[in-house]
């Protein structure tokens, strides 16, 4: 009897010790077994790596520990059996996967690639006290709760888009956006670089794109219905050197950048500098100053194709990723209907109407992109007239475009506006700063299920992932962009990474609450509206 009581007391002690440990990892790992006790990072703690490819990540961890605690942690090469913190390679794991085993004696991190080790590093930081994110030196006692984690993502594409056309975001702001994506294991940054309201990327062959197309004479302020303007010129662009710098910066965080160059719609800024590419070559085009969809679109002349191919040639040289996004959305056909050139071309090519003319435009660009060894990506409108087999579709008008694309064997990124447009309000509009509209609380974001009943198992394999979009008509600075992005990007990250079976909003919300001190330590300007919802 005494023995049983002793055992019960022991079990109780272990359970309460485990209960004191918290594991607020977002996105939720595939498997996490809690355990009692914790690992203490002390003065003599060292990090061992078994392969040189792991040195950068080990050094990152050592740097964080040094800033947070003042302790200098040595990084050395050695065997997996070493004590302290050990990073080693394990070919049996998935490409982005890792295992993280924390005991009072040792932290054992295994991964197939450095990328997996980077994700293990992110999980470890989330388990540590918030001071681990400190940017100025502190003397925190650092610990990590014992546990055993086996992790790998559900989807290979986990993305966020930032629109830098409506408002321009500096290189530092973009780097900050990328920094935070990496914390939550997002791996694709979609850089929306051109818009009616501004062209943001230097193209050496066409200098007027930066001297003219990147600046608008004024900007709409307040609600669209107010029709008010600020009477102040606004502009900005990235030089090719800056683009290279951001691409390299993102690569260090295992984030691929997909550039977007819009065509044939959302191109009014191009026409302000190169009116010969429009349907009305005599028109005084200007860079758009108000929001909404412009009727001033590119005309499908040979000169336009040459121009866009030249632009894409420079863009492709800057971005090593496989995908080039060419927009393709929201191209009003008004001017094509009124254009003698377009109507003659429709007849000559034996096309049915202006919609088929748009397909002709996209297919020509698709051929060009494909011939250069890259893959075309576009909004779901590009599906309307047939595209090359390796082109990918980004479904934004709900999931229908994505479902159609998957059924036609195209890869798909699901980015349905009603779940993932982060310019929508996340709480009652009366209590929030001005936004474009809509109603998208955190729970709605989290509720998106990419496994759609309309798709067979084989078709569903074409859904490569999900993305949320930060359109910026009403978001003029990075601080506000962060507010609109967080914590909703965490919901996106969990839907993209964690298993379908583990999805549970209340559990997510509880972890998010526990993770808030870490977000505060990172100085993330996140919305707390979800606490009251
Ligand atoms: C879009 O929202 N026009 C892709």
């Amino acid at each position: 009897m005494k023995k049983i009581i002793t055992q019960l007391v022991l079990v109780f002690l272990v359970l309460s010790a485990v209960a004191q440990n918290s594991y607020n990892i977002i996105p939720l790992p595939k498997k996490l077994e809690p355990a009692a006790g914790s690992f203490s990072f002390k003065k003599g703690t060292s990090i061992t790596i078994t392969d040189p490819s792991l040195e950068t990540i080990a050094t990152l961890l050592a740097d964080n520990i040094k800033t947070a605690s003042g302790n200098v942690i040595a990084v050395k090469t050695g065997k997996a059996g070493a004590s302290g913190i050990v990073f080693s390679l394990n070919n049996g794991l998935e490409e982005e996967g890792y295992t993280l085993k924390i005991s009072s004696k040792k932290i054992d991190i295994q991964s197939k690639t450095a990328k997996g080790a980077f994700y293990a590093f992110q999980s470890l930081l989330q388990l540590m006290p918030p001071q681990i994110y400190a940017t100025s030196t502190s003397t925190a006692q650092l610990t990590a709760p014992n546990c055993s984690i086996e992790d790998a993502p559900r989807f290979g594409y986990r993305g966020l888009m930032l629109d830098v056309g409506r408002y321009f975001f500096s290189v530092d702001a973009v780097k900050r956006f990328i920094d935070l994506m990496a914390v939550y294991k997002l791996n694709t940054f979609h850089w929306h670089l051109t818009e009616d309201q501004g062209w943001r990327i230097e193209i050496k062959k066409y200098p007027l794109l930066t001297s003219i197309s990147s600046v608008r004479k004024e900007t709409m302020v307040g609600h669209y219905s107010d029709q008010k303007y600020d009477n102040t010129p606004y502009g900005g662009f990235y030089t090719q050197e800056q683009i290279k710098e951001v691409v390299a910066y993102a690569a260090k965080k295992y984030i691929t950048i997909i550039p977007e160059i819009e065509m044939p719609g959302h191109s009014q800024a191009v026409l302000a500098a190169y009116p010969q590419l429009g349907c009305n070559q005599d028109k005084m085009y200007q860079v758009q100053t108000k929001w909404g969809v412009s009727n001033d679109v590119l005309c499908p002349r040979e000169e336009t194709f040459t121009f866009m191919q030249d632009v894409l040639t420079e863009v492709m040289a800057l971005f090593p990723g496989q995908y080039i996004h060419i927009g393709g959305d929201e191209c009003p056909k008004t001017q094509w209907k009124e254009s003698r050139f377009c109507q003659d071309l429709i007849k000559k090519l034996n096309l049915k109407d202006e919609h088929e003319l748009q397909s002709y435009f996209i297919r020509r660009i698709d051929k060009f992109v494909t011939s250069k060894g890259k893959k075309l990506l576009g909004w779901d409108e590009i599906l309307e007239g047939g595209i090359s087999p390796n082109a990918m579709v980004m479904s934004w008008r709900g999931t229908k475009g994505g479902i159609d694309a998957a059924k036609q064997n195209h890869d798909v990124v699901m980015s349905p506006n009603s779940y993932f447009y982060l310019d929508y309000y996340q709480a009652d509009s009366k209590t929030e700063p001005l936004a474009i509209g809509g109603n998208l609380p955190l729970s709605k974001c989290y509720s998106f299920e990419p496994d759609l009943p309309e798709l067979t198992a084989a078709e569903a394999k074409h859904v490569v992932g999900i993305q949320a979009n930060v359109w910026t008509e009403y978001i003029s600075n990075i601080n506000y962009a962060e507010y609109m992005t967080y914590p909703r990007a965490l919901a996106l990250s969990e839907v993209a990474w964690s298993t379908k079976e583990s999805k549970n909003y209340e559990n997510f919300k509880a972890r998010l609450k526990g993770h808030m001190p870490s977000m505060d330590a990172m100085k993330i300007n996140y919305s707390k509206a979800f606490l009251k919802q």
Side-chain angles (χ1 to χ4, degrees), residues 266 329-330 379 396 421 471:
H266 289 278
D329 59 320
E330 298 180 318
W379 300 108
W396 73 278
Y421 268 32
W471 299 105

Side-chain angles (χ1 to χ4, degrees), residues 264-501:
H266 289 278
S267 296
Q268 189 178 320
V270 177
L271 299 177
Y274 298 95
Q276 63 272 33
L277 307 182
C279 283
N280 185 348
Q281 299 182 321
D282 197 35
K283 183 168 175 175
M284 301 276 285
Y285 294 102
Q286 62 165 357
V287 179
Q288 183 63 293
T289 57
K290 63 181 179 196
W291 315 129
V293 176
S294 168
N295 280 326
D296 289 329
V297 304
L298 299 177
C299 206
R301 300 175 201 281
E302 284 311 307
E303 194 178 353
T304 307
F305 288 113
T306 303
F307 182 94
M308 275 304 169
Q309 289 174 5
D310 289 343
V311 167
L312 290 176
T313 299
E314 291 194 31
V315 170
M316 287 188 279
L318 291 167
F319 293 91
Q322 55 176 343
Y323 283 103
I324 300 291
H325 200 307
I326 53 84
D329 59 320
E330 298 180 318
C331 177
K333 306 297 184 294
T334 331
Q335 293 181 349
W336 290 5
K337 280 199 175 101
E338 291 167 354
S339 151
R340 188 184 306 278
F341 171 81
C342 290
Q343 294 306 315
D344 286 349
L345 188 59
I346 285 172
K347 278 204 199 89
K348 187 174 144 206
L349 297 172
N350 211 9
L351 303 174
K352 204 162 78 210
D353 56 16
E354 295 75 25
H355 296 281
E356 288 202 353
L357 187 56
Q358 156 134 353
S359 302
Y360 161 78
F361 192 113
I362 300 295
R363 277 201 311 273
R364 276 198 59 169
I365 296 294
D366 183 10
K367 267 204 193 107
F368 176 75
V369 169
T370 304
S371 75
K372 299 294 172 199
K374 297 278 188 179
K375 294 180 183 175
L376 183 108
L377 169 59
W379 300 108
D380 55 60
E381 287 94 330
I382 66 163
L383 194 65
E384 287 163 11
I387 40 175
S388 63
N390 68 3
M392 185 156 81
V393 170
M394 195 165 264
S395 191
W396 73 278
R397 296 175 298 179
T399 52
K400 185 173 179 313
I403 290 167
D404 292 347
K407 285 188 183 296
Q408 293 172 38
N409 292 321
H410 291 292
D411 279 351
V412 173
V413 174
M414 287 294 183
S415 189
N417 50 358
S418 53
Y419 292 91
F420 292 142
Y421 268 32
L422 302 187
D423 53 338
Y424 290 8
Y425 284 107
Q426 49 198 324
D428 187 344
S429 61
K430 289 191 217 64
T431 64
E432 290 289 304
L434 187 66
I436 201 162
N439 174 29
L440 181 49
L442 182 66
S443 55
K444 173 94 193 263
C445 235
Y446 192 85
S447 73
F448 182 71
E449 177 41 59
D451 189 5
L452 296 156
E454 293 90 338
L455 297 176
T456 64
E459 289 162 355
K461 285 207 170 66
H462 285 296
V463 179
V464 298
I466 57 177
Q467 177 175 292
N469 300 328
V470 184
W471 299 105
T472 59
E473 285 95 332
Y474 295 88
I475 301 177
S476 60
N477 60 71
I478 190 65
N479 202 36
Y480 190 34
E482 238 172 71
Y483 177 82
M484 297 303 276
T485 307
Y486 291 91
R488 291 184 291 189
L490 274 60
L492 171 100
S493 135
E494 184 145 314
V495 178
W497 180 283
S498 309
T499 64
K500 182 180 172 185
E501 295 70 35

Side-chain angles (χ1 to χ4, degrees), residues 1-75:
M1 188 65 189
K2 207 169 156 195
K3 209 168 152 195
I4 291 175
I5 290 174
T6 316
Q7 275 176 351
L8 279 176
V9 168
L10 257 175
V11 166
F12 174 78
L13 284 176
V14 169
L15 283 179
S16 52
V18 169
Q20 279 165 17
N21 280 340
S22 58
Y23 304 90
N24 297 313
I25 302 179
I26 297 174
L28 183 72
K30 207 169 183 172
K31 201 166 154 201
L32 188 157
E33 280 172 15
S38 61
F39 180 91
S40 291
F41 296 77
K42 300 205 188 79
K43 257 208 170 89
T45 305
S46 61
I47 304 180
T48 302
I49 55 169
T50 64
D51 189 89
S53 66
L54 301 166
E55 185 173 353
T56 309
I57 289 137
T59 307
L60 274 180
L61 178 59
D63 288 348
N64 275 55
I65 294 170
K66 177 161 185 275
T67 308
S69 67
N71 287 341
V72 178
I73 303 277
V75 176

